Amino acid sequence: MGQFLTTASTMMCPHGGTVTAIASQQKAQAGAAMLIQSDACTIAGCPFMIGPNPSPCVTVRWVSPATRNTLGGTPALTRESVGLCLAATQAPQGPVQVVNTQPKASGQ
């Protein structure tokens, strides 16, 4: 079982950029809205370069959400969920790094 991701979870791209999630629903765990697969996640401050050209991570695409937990019919996100950080060109640049989550609630 994995801990649910919420708007209070700390996540980063593999290059150190900060992920900010915007929850589409307001189901809360300990005061923070839980995240689902379709929620928008943006990345700021990614310093990634391809040669001399900036290629920062800008968004996250969640490709493997929770397998047994849904909110409003959409899969929830847990620490074990897999999200790919994408450049503006939609090129995948590595997995989301989950730094901390909601410790009081968990799911699969």
Side-chain angles (χ1 to χ4, degrees):
M1 290 211 316
Q3 297 170 330
F4 284 112
L5 298 183
T6 70
T7 53
S9 297
T10 305
M11 299 176 279
M12 298 170 41
C13 77
H15 317 104
T18 303
V19 176
T20 301
I22 301 169
S24 58
Q25 50 73 46
Q26 296 304 310
K27 174 96 172 142
Q29 293 291 331
M34 293 174 60
L35 299 177
I36 58 176
Q37 184 177 20
S38 59
D39 284 341
C41 296
T42 58
I43 302 170
C46 175
F48 188 61
M49 305 276 287
I50 296 176
N53 302 314
S55 182
C57 298
V58 295
T59 61
V60 176
R61 179 186 314 138
W62 294 98
V63 296
S64 181
T67 56
R68 295 186 185 166
N69 299 97
T70 63
L71 294 172
T74 303
L77 298 177
T78 66
R79 180 181 277 280
E80 285 73 30
S81 297
V82 177
L84 294 178
C85 297
L86 305 175
T89 62
Q90 299 301 297
Q93 302 197 121
V96 169
Q97 308 295 311
V98 178
V99 179
N100 80 19
T101 62
Q102 166 52 260
K104 297 185 181 199
S106 62
Q108 295 181 338

